[in-house]
Short mmCIF file of all heavy atoms in Angstrom, two decimals:
data_model
loop_
_atom_site.label_atom_id
_atom_site.label_comp_id
_atom_site.label_asym_id
_atom_site.label_seq_id
_atom_site.Cartn_x
_atom_site.Cartn_y
_atom_site.Cartn_z
N ILE A 25 29.31 -16.89 1.34
CA ILE A 25 30.57 -16.26 0.97
C ILE A 25 31.58 -16.42 2.10
O ILE A 25 31.30 -16.08 3.26
CB ILE A 25 30.38 -14.76 0.66
CG1 ILE A 25 29.45 -14.57 -0.53
CG2 ILE A 25 31.71 -14.07 0.43
CD1 ILE A 25 30.03 -14.97 -1.85
N GLU A 26 32.74 -16.95 1.79
CA GLU A 26 33.73 -17.21 2.84
C GLU A 26 34.56 -15.96 3.17
O GLU A 26 35.02 -15.24 2.28
CB GLU A 26 34.67 -18.36 2.44
CG GLU A 26 33.98 -19.73 2.49
CD GLU A 26 34.98 -20.87 2.65
OE1 GLU A 26 36.20 -20.62 2.64
OE2 GLU A 26 34.53 -22.01 2.81
N ILE A 27 34.72 -15.74 4.47
CA ILE A 27 35.53 -14.65 4.98
C ILE A 27 36.52 -15.24 5.99
O ILE A 27 36.08 -15.79 7.00
CB ILE A 27 34.64 -13.58 5.68
CG1 ILE A 27 33.57 -13.09 4.69
CG2 ILE A 27 35.49 -12.43 6.15
CD1 ILE A 27 32.47 -12.26 5.34
N LYS A 28 37.76 -15.20 5.65
CA LYS A 28 38.80 -15.81 6.47
C LYS A 28 38.49 -17.30 6.79
O LYS A 28 38.61 -17.75 7.91
CB LYS A 28 38.97 -15.01 7.77
CG LYS A 28 39.60 -13.65 7.60
CD LYS A 28 41.03 -13.76 7.06
CE LYS A 28 41.64 -12.40 6.80
NZ LYS A 28 43.01 -12.48 6.24
N GLY A 29 38.05 -17.97 5.74
CA GLY A 29 37.83 -19.41 5.87
C GLY A 29 36.48 -19.84 6.47
O GLY A 29 36.24 -21.02 6.59
N ARG A 30 35.62 -18.91 6.77
CA ARG A 30 34.32 -19.23 7.37
C ARG A 30 33.24 -18.52 6.58
O ARG A 30 33.37 -17.37 6.22
CB ARG A 30 34.22 -18.76 8.83
CG ARG A 30 35.23 -19.40 9.77
CD ARG A 30 35.01 -18.87 11.17
NE ARG A 30 33.77 -19.35 11.78
CZ ARG A 30 33.07 -18.69 12.68
NH1 ARG A 30 33.46 -17.46 13.08
NH2 ARG A 30 31.99 -19.20 13.19
N PRO A 31 32.10 -19.20 6.31
CA PRO A 31 31.02 -18.51 5.61
C PRO A 31 30.41 -17.43 6.47
O PRO A 31 30.40 -17.50 7.72
CB PRO A 31 29.99 -19.64 5.35
CG PRO A 31 30.35 -20.72 6.28
CD PRO A 31 31.82 -20.60 6.57
N LEU A 32 29.90 -16.39 5.84
CA LEU A 32 29.33 -15.25 6.53
C LEU A 32 28.26 -15.66 7.55
O LEU A 32 28.17 -15.08 8.64
CB LEU A 32 28.74 -14.26 5.51
CG LEU A 32 27.99 -13.05 6.08
CD1 LEU A 32 28.90 -12.23 6.95
CD2 LEU A 32 27.41 -12.23 4.95
N ILE A 33 27.44 -16.63 7.20
CA ILE A 33 26.36 -17.02 8.08
C ILE A 33 26.87 -17.45 9.46
O ILE A 33 26.19 -17.23 10.49
CB ILE A 33 25.50 -18.12 7.47
CG1 ILE A 33 24.20 -18.30 8.26
CG2 ILE A 33 26.24 -19.42 7.34
CD1 ILE A 33 23.19 -19.21 7.62
N GLU A 34 28.05 -17.99 9.53
CA GLU A 34 28.61 -18.45 10.81
C GLU A 34 28.91 -17.22 11.70
O GLU A 34 28.66 -17.28 12.93
CB GLU A 34 29.87 -19.26 10.59
CG GLU A 34 29.63 -20.63 9.97
CD GLU A 34 28.87 -21.59 10.88
OE1 GLU A 34 28.62 -21.28 12.03
OE2 GLU A 34 28.54 -22.69 10.38
N TYR A 35 29.42 -16.16 11.13
CA TYR A 35 29.67 -14.94 11.92
C TYR A 35 28.35 -14.35 12.42
O TYR A 35 28.28 -13.87 13.55
CB TYR A 35 30.40 -13.90 11.07
CG TYR A 35 31.81 -14.29 10.70
CD1 TYR A 35 32.11 -14.88 9.45
CD2 TYR A 35 32.87 -14.04 11.58
CE1 TYR A 35 33.43 -15.21 9.11
CE2 TYR A 35 34.19 -14.37 11.25
CZ TYR A 35 34.45 -14.97 10.02
OH TYR A 35 35.74 -15.30 9.68
N GLN A 36 27.32 -14.41 11.58
CA GLN A 36 26.03 -13.86 11.99
C GLN A 36 25.39 -14.72 13.10
O GLN A 36 24.85 -14.17 14.08
CB GLN A 36 25.10 -13.77 10.79
CG GLN A 36 25.58 -12.77 9.76
CD GLN A 36 24.55 -12.50 8.66
OE1 GLN A 36 23.88 -13.43 8.19
NE2 GLN A 36 24.46 -11.25 8.25
N ASP A 38 27.08 -16.50 15.21
CA ASP A 38 27.90 -16.25 16.41
C ASP A 38 27.42 -15.01 17.13
O ASP A 38 27.37 -14.95 18.37
CB ASP A 38 29.37 -16.11 16.04
CG ASP A 38 30.03 -17.43 15.73
OD1 ASP A 38 29.42 -18.47 16.00
OD2 ASP A 38 31.19 -17.43 15.22
N VAL A 115 25.70 -8.67 5.73
CA VAL A 115 26.39 -7.73 6.61
C VAL A 115 27.21 -8.45 7.67
O VAL A 115 26.74 -9.41 8.28
CB VAL A 115 25.36 -6.80 7.29
CG1 VAL A 115 26.01 -6.00 8.41
CG2 VAL A 115 24.75 -5.84 6.26
N LEU A 116 28.42 -7.99 7.90
CA LEU A 116 29.26 -8.50 8.96
C LEU A 116 29.50 -7.35 9.96
O LEU A 116 29.96 -6.26 9.55
CB LEU A 116 30.59 -8.99 8.43
CG LEU A 116 31.62 -9.49 9.46
CD1 LEU A 116 31.05 -10.67 10.23
CD2 LEU A 116 32.92 -9.88 8.79
N SER A 117 29.15 -7.57 11.18
CA SER A 117 29.27 -6.50 12.16
C SER A 117 29.34 -7.05 13.58
O SER A 117 29.05 -8.24 13.80
CB SER A 117 28.02 -5.58 12.07
OG SER A 117 28.04 -4.54 13.03
N ASN A 118 29.73 -6.20 14.51
CA ASN A 118 29.70 -6.55 15.93
C ASN A 118 28.73 -5.71 16.69
O ASN A 118 28.93 -5.38 17.84
CB ASN A 118 31.12 -6.45 16.53
CG ASN A 118 31.60 -4.99 16.60
OD1 ASN A 118 31.06 -4.12 15.90
ND2 ASN A 118 32.59 -4.71 17.45
N LEU A 248 32.28 -2.15 14.46
CA LEU A 248 32.75 -2.70 13.19
C LEU A 248 31.53 -2.95 12.27
O LEU A 248 30.52 -3.43 12.73
CB LEU A 248 33.52 -3.98 13.43
CG LEU A 248 34.70 -3.88 14.40
CD1 LEU A 248 35.23 -5.29 14.71
CD2 LEU A 248 35.76 -2.99 13.87
N TRP A 249 31.74 -2.72 10.95
CA TRP A 249 30.62 -2.95 10.05
C TRP A 249 31.16 -3.05 8.60
O TRP A 249 32.03 -2.28 8.19
CB TRP A 249 29.63 -1.81 10.12
CG TRP A 249 28.40 -2.03 9.30
CD1 TRP A 249 27.25 -2.66 9.64
CD2 TRP A 249 28.23 -1.64 7.92
NE1 TRP A 249 26.40 -2.74 8.60
CE2 TRP A 249 26.94 -2.08 7.52
CE3 TRP A 249 29.02 -0.98 6.98
CZ2 TRP A 249 26.44 -1.87 6.23
CZ3 TRP A 249 28.52 -0.78 5.70
CH2 TRP A 249 27.23 -1.19 5.34
N ALA A 250 30.60 -4.00 7.85
CA ALA A 250 30.91 -4.12 6.43
C ALA A 250 29.77 -4.81 5.71
O ALA A 250 29.11 -5.68 6.26
CB ALA A 250 32.20 -4.90 6.20
N ASP A 251 29.51 -4.36 4.49
CA ASP A 251 28.53 -4.99 3.58
C ASP A 251 29.34 -5.73 2.53
O ASP A 251 30.11 -5.10 1.79
CB ASP A 251 27.66 -3.91 2.96
CG ASP A 251 26.62 -4.45 1.99
OD1 ASP A 251 26.87 -5.48 1.36
OD2 ASP A 251 25.54 -3.83 1.90
N ILE A 252 29.14 -7.06 2.41
CA ILE A 252 29.99 -7.83 1.49
C ILE A 252 29.50 -7.83 0.07
O ILE A 252 30.00 -8.58 -0.77
CB ILE A 252 30.10 -9.30 1.97
CG1 ILE A 252 28.74 -10.02 1.86
CG2 ILE A 252 30.64 -9.38 3.39
CD1 ILE A 252 28.83 -11.50 1.79
N GLY A 257 33.70 -3.87 0.03
CA GLY A 257 33.05 -4.33 1.26
C GLY A 257 33.58 -5.66 1.74
O GLY A 257 33.78 -5.87 2.95
N LEU A 258 33.89 -6.54 0.81
CA LEU A 258 34.44 -7.85 1.19
C LEU A 258 35.83 -7.70 1.78
O LEU A 258 36.20 -8.41 2.73
CB LEU A 258 34.48 -8.75 -0.06
CG LEU A 258 34.85 -10.23 0.19
CD1 LEU A 258 33.94 -10.89 1.21
CD2 LEU A 258 34.84 -11.02 -1.13
N GLU A 259 36.63 -6.77 1.23
CA GLU A 259 37.95 -6.50 1.80
C GLU A 259 37.83 -5.99 3.24
O GLU A 259 38.59 -6.39 4.13
CB GLU A 259 38.70 -5.49 0.94
CG GLU A 259 39.13 -6.06 -0.42
CD GLU A 259 39.75 -4.97 -1.30
OE1 GLU A 259 39.91 -3.84 -0.84
OE2 GLU A 259 40.12 -5.31 -2.42
N ARG A 260 36.85 -5.09 3.48
CA ARG A 260 36.64 -4.58 4.85
C ARG A 260 36.19 -5.72 5.77
O ARG A 260 36.58 -5.79 6.94
CB ARG A 260 35.59 -3.48 4.83
CG ARG A 260 36.10 -2.17 4.27
CD ARG A 260 35.15 -1.01 4.61
NE ARG A 260 33.85 -1.20 4.01
CZ ARG A 260 33.52 -0.75 2.80
NH1 ARG A 260 34.41 -0.11 2.07
NH2 ARG A 260 32.31 -0.97 2.33
N ALA A 261 35.37 -6.63 5.22
CA ALA A 261 34.90 -7.76 6.02
C ALA A 261 36.06 -8.66 6.42
O ALA A 261 36.06 -9.22 7.53
CB ALA A 261 33.84 -8.54 5.25
N GLU A 262 37.03 -8.83 5.59
CA GLU A 262 38.19 -9.63 5.90
C GLU A 262 38.95 -9.05 7.10
O GLU A 262 39.39 -9.76 8.02
CB GLU A 262 39.14 -9.71 4.68
CG GLU A 262 38.58 -10.41 3.46
CD GLU A 262 38.73 -11.91 3.52
OE1 GLU A 262 39.48 -12.41 4.38
OE2 GLU A 262 38.11 -12.61 2.68
N ILE A 263 39.06 -7.72 7.12
CA ILE A 263 39.76 -7.05 8.23
C ILE A 263 38.95 -7.20 9.53
O ILE A 263 39.50 -7.48 10.59
CB ILE A 263 39.96 -5.56 7.90
CG1 ILE A 263 40.89 -5.40 6.71
CG2 ILE A 263 40.50 -4.80 9.11
CD1 ILE A 263 40.98 -3.99 6.17
N ILE A 264 37.60 -7.06 9.40
CA ILE A 264 36.75 -7.19 10.57
C ILE A 264 36.83 -8.62 11.12
O ILE A 264 36.86 -8.84 12.33
CB ILE A 264 35.31 -6.83 10.20
CG1 ILE A 264 35.21 -5.32 9.96
CG2 ILE A 264 34.33 -7.22 11.30
CD1 ILE A 264 33.87 -4.85 9.42
N ALA A 265 36.79 -9.60 10.20
CA ALA A 265 36.82 -11.00 10.62
C ALA A 265 38.08 -11.31 11.42
O ALA A 265 38.05 -12.04 12.40
CB ALA A 265 36.73 -11.93 9.41
N GLU A 266 39.23 -10.71 11.01
CA GLU A 266 40.44 -10.90 11.79
C GLU A 266 40.29 -10.38 13.20
O GLU A 266 40.72 -11.02 14.16
CB GLU A 266 41.61 -10.16 11.06
CG GLU A 266 42.13 -10.90 9.84
CD GLU A 266 43.37 -10.21 9.28
OE1 GLU A 266 43.82 -9.24 9.90
OE2 GLU A 266 43.91 -10.69 8.27
N LYS A 267 39.68 -9.20 13.31
CA LYS A 267 39.51 -8.61 14.65
C LYS A 267 38.54 -9.46 15.49
O LYS A 267 38.75 -9.64 16.69
CB LYS A 267 38.98 -7.20 14.54
CG LYS A 267 39.95 -6.24 13.88
CD LYS A 267 39.40 -4.83 13.76
CE LYS A 267 40.43 -3.88 13.15
NZ LYS A 267 39.88 -2.49 12.99
N LEU A 268 37.49 -9.95 14.86
CA LEU A 268 36.52 -10.78 15.58
C LEU A 268 37.17 -12.10 16.03
O LEU A 268 36.94 -12.58 17.12
CB LEU A 268 35.31 -11.04 14.71
CG LEU A 268 34.43 -9.86 14.38
CD1 LEU A 268 33.30 -10.25 13.45
CD2 LEU A 268 33.84 -9.20 15.64
N ASN A 269 37.99 -12.67 15.16
CA ASN A 269 38.64 -13.95 15.50
C ASN A 269 39.67 -13.78 16.57
O ASN A 269 39.93 -14.70 17.38
CB ASN A 269 39.33 -14.53 14.25
CG ASN A 269 38.29 -14.99 13.19
OD1 ASN A 269 37.17 -15.30 13.54
ND2 ASN A 269 38.69 -15.01 11.94
N GLU A 270 40.27 -12.60 16.67
CA GLU A 270 41.29 -12.33 17.74
C GLU A 270 40.63 -12.31 19.08
O GLU A 270 41.26 -12.69 20.08
CB GLU A 270 41.95 -10.96 17.49
CG GLU A 270 42.94 -10.97 16.30
CD GLU A 270 43.46 -9.56 16.02
OE1 GLU A 270 43.04 -8.62 16.75
OE2 GLU A 270 44.27 -9.41 15.08
N LYS A 271 39.36 -11.92 19.14
CA LYS A 271 38.66 -11.83 20.45
C LYS A 271 38.19 -13.17 20.95
O LYS A 271 37.80 -13.32 22.11
CB LYS A 271 37.47 -10.87 20.32
CG LYS A 271 37.89 -9.42 20.03
CD LYS A 271 36.69 -8.51 19.92
CE LYS A 271 37.09 -7.09 19.63
NZ LYS A 271 35.94 -6.18 19.50
N GLU A 272 38.17 -14.18 20.07
CA GLU A 272 37.65 -15.49 20.47
C GLU A 272 38.66 -16.23 21.32
O GLU A 272 39.84 -16.07 21.19
CB GLU A 272 37.30 -16.30 19.22
CG GLU A 272 36.08 -15.74 18.47
CD GLU A 272 35.71 -16.59 17.27
OE1 GLU A 272 36.44 -17.55 16.94
OE2 GLU A 272 34.65 -16.32 16.66
#
Side-chain angles (χ1 to χ4, degrees):
I25 296 290
E26 288 203 355
I27 304 168
K28 291 296 178 182
R30 299 179 70 208
L32 174 60
I33 192 171
E34 292 291 356
Y35 292 96
Q36 294 189 320
D38 283 350
V115 168
L116 178 61
S117 178
N118 67 341
L248 305 172
W249 185 88
D251 180 328
I252 67 158
L258 187 56
E259 289 175 3
R260 287 194 296 271
E262 296 274 349
I263 296 172
I264 290 173
E266 284 188 2
K267 294 180 179 179
L268 294 176
N269 291 335
E270 286 174 1
K271 294 179 180 181
E272 292 182 353

